[in-house]
Amino acid sequence: MSTANREPARPAAGRAGIKKELPDRFKDYRHVWVFIELERGQVHPVSFELLGEGRKLADKLGVQLAGVVLGPPGEATWYAVAEAFAYGADLVYIAEAPLLADYRNEPFTKVMTDLVDTHKPEILLLGATTLGRDLAGSVATTLQTGLTADCTELDVDTDGSLAATRPTFGGSLLCTIYTLNYRPQMATVRARVMPMPQRTDKPVGRIIQHKVSLAEDEIVTKVLGFLPDSQSAKANLAYADVVVAGGLGLGAAENLQLVKNLARAIGAEHGCSRPLVQKGWMPADRQIGQTGKTIRPKLYIAAGISGAIQHRVGVEGADLIVAINTDPTAPIFDFAHLGIVTDAIRFLPALTEAFTRRLSPHSRDKLAS
Amino acid sequence: MHIVICIKQVPDSAQIRVHPVTNTIMRQGVPTIINPYDLFALEEALRLRDAYGGEVTVLSMGPPMAEDSLRKALGYGADRAVLLTDRYFAGSDTLATSFALSQAIAKVGETFGPPDIVFTGKQTIDGDTAQVGPGIAKRLDLQQLTYVAKIGSIDLGAREIEVERRCEGGTQMLKSRLPCLITVLEGTNEIRRGSFEDALCAARSQIVKWTAVAAGIEDLTRCGLRGSPTVVKRVFAPTARAEKAEQIETAEKTLRDAADELIAAIFTRQPPLEHELAFNNGA
């Protein structure tokens, strides 16, 4: 970043207000920050994925990578600090207070904006979780800066600006968005879009403690209780190693059983494309794609899914994509690794049976004998 | 109780196509709809009005044709519709949009009485950012309750509200204060069919139309492109993978053989998977 450039700010160039010169008040904004999402003692894995991505950005910019941990005093909060170092943070800002025990917008926004005003990061990344989106929106509005939601790619331009790429128009196109004249440059990224970085047993680095100057009686909204999801309601799609999903090609709601059968046979999670949720054939938490979950399994089997771009952005991170579809021109064959042009309704039972045969220990005994 | 609900007219993204040669969005003939998530918020607003009395004002920012969506909202039973429309709003990002809408909500408050609750949908289906709701809350200094799945009790005397809010891994029960801003989750309720009477009223209702100045916005540099800190530099279609999918041939083959061949191909590409899947399978 050039420091010698002290010309007065030039007027906006063109309609989009793109200026070359960053206003003076932002010139000392430096370093990349990742918000470490801690809720009920658990760090959301997206925070580690973001540290991996933040590391790359910080290295390109030649600046430090910091984690930001907000939580109640105690072990879980300090565990989050240690984990932030293990996943690549150079330093961690920590704010501890009992009123940060459960997520509430008001105290989290206050503490986060205080931290930004005090330590001035140039980039601030958050997970596009319910918590991250709730917080990012109010922090960006308070700081009057730009926020790019649900990015699928982050990079640093030659001039040091953050280039945040995200799907637009329901995922039909991608666009790259810049926040040129304001700091910090903020972005949220969904879970599983970025790969999980290697964990290292890095010794704890520099820790900067931030005093929370806020009392419980100043906070309007109170948490009355928390009801965890029952185990059965929890669809662990985003972090599943194997996923089988069905689309409109299955023709009828009852044929989804074929997807579930295959999933059960190979120990996979099951999901679906958006139209099935819209038809009410499957609950929304099973939806895969731009408006649903992003997945990164080792194996993804898509049955009767045509592969509209909004579905594609949700599965691109899979190691191996297998498509079953009757239409040889379906877009899914453009990004699948293996394809079979056939009717999923007839093929799924055969595939389930073949998998069972191949994976069954008995058939191995037979082969061995 | 006065409730303001913000809705957006969006292209039906399920019907958007990208031009195969120019990689641009083909908008011609794409129908516009009320953002589906906003309908759940509208229904919630109407239910609260029916239960507690009062009025529902539906507000939208957009081009003049967004009037269609407002008229539909009146058809569902909203009491009043306000359209914020001005060329100064063109190109607004989420920060500029939340600025304009918050100014308009303040003006709605001055004109028709201060709102007790401002509703928005969870997010829109064209932008998908979920940022405008929190932006409005922050600017109007309202308590922010996002991803609300259920509204429990409201005590208008004590100015208190209890809601259930979905978050990662569970549901948070919150008690908060009126006025507040609530973003409503999909599937929260079943959207009503408007009555015949409402439909007749909607057809004859005047929609209040405000320009930026009429909505009380003095600083126009905070609107539209000029008021937007984010800048879209590049729009492009995702690049196709270099090679097409390897096809398992099915001609002159039984389903069983084809399935075996597909599985063999899977394990050739990902050998460790076979062990893992067998393990999953209880082997």
Side-chain angles (χ1 to χ4, degrees):
Chain A
M1 216 176 276
S2 141
T3 49
N5 223 335
R6 294 225 173 247
E7 291 167 10
R10 270 169 276 176
R15 291 174 68 240
I18 300 173
K19 292 178 212 161
K20 289 266 159 49
E21 185 77 357
L22 189 67
D24 277 341
R25 67 182 191 280
F26 293 128
K27 283 197 170 145
D28 52 346
Y29 279 60
R30 282 240 182 331
H31 307 306
V32 177
W33 284 16
V34 170
F35 173 70
I36 309 297
E37 181 173 330
L38 175 72
E39 207 170 11
R40 287 175 304 282
Q42 296 280 314
V43 177
H44 197 290
V46 71
S47 305
F48 303 138
E49 295 161 17
L50 281 177
L51 282 170
E53 195 62 20
R55 182 76 264 163
K56 290 183 210 156
L57 301 178
D59 289 348
K60 268 196 181 173
L61 289 165
V63 299
Q64 292 200 303
L65 173 68
V68 182
V69 176
L70 314 187
E75 247 175 68
T77 304
W78 284 94
Y79 175 74
V81 172
E83 286 301 285
F85 287 122
Y87 282 101
D90 298 311
L91 75 156
V92 171
Y93 296 94
I94 172 173
E96 283 179 284
L99 52 81
L100 298 174
D102 289 294
Y103 175 75
R104 281 174 295 172
N105 177 267
E106 203 176 356
F108 273 68
T109 301
K110 175 79 172 58
V111 173
M112 196 71 202
T113 48
D114 276 358
L115 272 163
V116 168
D117 285 338
T118 313
H119 301 284
K120 304 182 181 352
E122 57 187 305
I123 293 173
L124 171 56
L125 307 176
L126 301 92
T129 56
T130 53
L131 192 165
R133 283 177 156 207
D134 184 279
L135 179 62
S138 3
V139 169
T141 310
T142 311
L143 298 170
Q144 296 281 300
T145 190
L147 167 60
T148 307
D150 280 23
C151 301
T152 51
E153 213 183 309
L154 297 174
D155 202 358
V156 170
D157 234 13
T158 44
D159 67 349
S161 312
L162 177 70
T165 299
R166 73 180 304 261
T168 182
F169 280 103
S172 329
L173 292 172
L174 296 169
C175 62
T176 303
I177 295 177
Y178 291 76
T179 298
L180 293 177
N181 304 318
Y182 301 85
R183 291 293 180 269
Q185 305 161 87
M186 289 180 62
T188 62
V189 176
R190 289 160 50 136
R192 300 302 267 160
V193 168
M194 310 295 182
M196 188 68 127
Q198 204 63 43
R199 189 183 183 285
T200 56
D201 278 316
K202 199 178 151 201
V204 167
R206 196 152 65 96
I207 292 173
I208 297 173
Q209 284 182 277
H210 178 80
K211 201 174 167 316
V212 176
S213 54
L214 194 65
E216 178 60 46
D217 57 17
E218 294 173 77
I219 302 163
V220 173
T221 299
K222 307 289 180 195
V223 180
L224 302 178
F226 179 78
L227 199 72
D229 288 336
S230 65
Q231 210 55 43
S232 59
K234 234 182 254 173
N236 193 23
L237 263 184
Y239 290 88
D241 277 341
V242 186
V243 175
V244 184
L248 270 184
L250 291 175
E254 54 267 27
N255 288 331
L256 279 170
Q257 194 54 46
L258 305 175
V259 168
K260 291 182 195 169
N261 291 348
L262 174 57
R264 191 173 326 117
I266 59 176
E269 280 285 347
H270 68 274
C272 66
S273 59
R274 183 172 68 175
L276 271 54
V277 171
Q278 284 174 338
K279 281 178 179 285
W281 293 0
M282 239 190 224
D285 63 352
R286 294 274 176 191
Q287 185 189 323
I288 298 166
Q290 162 68 5
T291 46
K293 294 224 161 49
T294 302
I295 59 170
R296 270 188 109 78
K298 293 175 183 163
L299 172 63
Y300 175 55
I301 301 177
I305 292 178
S306 64
I309 184 66
Q310 81 95 14
H311 186 76
R312 175 179 173 168
V313 299
V315 304
E316 254 175 341
D319 293 337
L320 184 60
I321 300 172
V322 177
I324 306 164
N325 205 299
T326 45
D327 176 7
T329 66
I332 192 145
F333 292 119
D334 294 336
F335 59 94
H337 303 95
L338 283 170
I340 180 159
V341 178
T342 186
D343 182 3
I345 302 169
R346 289 176 57 233
F347 188 66
L348 279 174
L351 188 61
T352 306
E353 201 202 298
F355 261 121
T356 313
R357 242 185 294 123
R358 175 136 181 174
L359 300 173
S360 149
H362 304 297
S363 64
R364 287 203 181 165
D365 292 345
K366 262 186 250 161
L367 284 174
S369 61
Chain B
M1 180 152 56
H2 184 200
I3 298 170
V4 174
I5 143 117
C6 301
I7 66 168
K8 185 179 183 188
Q9 187 170 55
V10 295
D12 188 349
S13 70
Q15 303 199 37
I16 284 187
R17 296 285 173 272
V18 176
H19 193 280
V21 179
T22 60
N23 283 335
T24 51
I25 292 271
M26 301 196 291
R27 292 172 199 247
Q28 298 92 322
V30 176
T32 54
I33 52 174
I34 298 179
N35 174 41
Y37 295 120
D38 297 347
L39 290 176
F40 296 105
L42 176 61
E43 175 62 32
E44 213 51 33
L46 296 172
R47 280 183 189 210
L48 290 183
R49 178 204 56 193
D50 295 348
Y52 294 90
E55 286 187 323
V56 170
T57 301
V58 50
L59 168 68
S60 189
M61 177 174 120
M65 69 180 231
E67 194 181 320
D68 297 348
S69 288
L70 287 170
R71 213 166 280 287
K72 272 187 200 119
L74 290 172
Y76 283 112
D79 300 285
R80 172 187 308 116
V82 178
L83 176 63
L84 187 60
T85 186
D86 201 313
R87 62 189 175 84
Y88 285 110
F89 299 132
S92 296
D93 72 356
T94 55
L95 195 77
T97 301
S98 70
F99 170 73
L101 283 173
S102 63
Q103 296 276 305
I105 292 167
K107 184 75 180 179
V108 165
E110 280 170 32
T111 317
F112 306 108
D116 300 286
I117 302 178
V118 176
F119 277 109
T120 72
K122 177 183 84 164
Q123 62 194 59
T124 59
I125 59 163
D126 56 348
D128 278 323
T129 68
Q131 285 167 198
V132 172
I136 293 170
K138 186 44 71 187
R139 289 175 190 279
L140 293 174
D141 199 20
L142 302 172
Q143 288 298 304
Q144 172 179 324
L145 307 166
T146 55
Y147 303 102
V148 167
K150 193 179 167 192
I151 294 172
S153 62
I154 294 179
D155 186 335
L156 284 172
R159 311 291 292 155
E160 278 179 352
I161 182 168
E162 287 183 20
V163 300
E164 290 181 13
R165 169 178 189 271
R166 286 288 302 155
C167 56
E168 305 284 321
T171 303
Q172 216 179 17
M173 263 74 77
L174 295 174
K175 182 183 200 163
S176 194
R177 191 175 61 196
L178 300 177
C180 63
L181 177 133
I182 295 178
T183 84
V184 177
L185 213 58
E186 70 273 18
T188 306
N189 48 40
E190 205 158 306
I191 294 146
R192 69 185 61 189
R193 291 173 63 103
S195 69
F196 181 60
E197 204 184 342
D198 286 332
L200 283 180
C201 273
R204 284 177 298 170
S205 293
Q206 272 304 108
I207 286 171
V208 181
K209 282 187 201 131
W210 285 343
T211 59
V213 171
I217 299 174
E218 282 160 12
D219 187 356
L220 295 175
T221 64
R222 298 177 74 181
C223 300
L225 279 172
R226 282 198 292 171
S228 300
T230 61
V231 177
V232 177
K233 260 208 178 165
R234 206 158 69 92
V235 179
F236 57 103
T239 47
R241 210 197 286 279
E243 83 276 27
K244 273 229 165 198
E246 177 195 328
Q247 288 290 340
I248 304 296
E249 289 305 327
T250 50
E252 296 165 36
K253 218 180 274 172
T254 63
L255 286 175
R256 183 187 160 126
D257 287 349
D260 282 336
E261 201 180 311
L262 177 60
I263 291 168
I266 289 171
F267 293 146
T268 306
R269 284 170 178 252
Q270 295 266 66
L273 260 181
E274 182 162 12
H275 172 76
E276 283 174 40
L277 294 187
F279 183 78
N280 272 331
N281 200 29

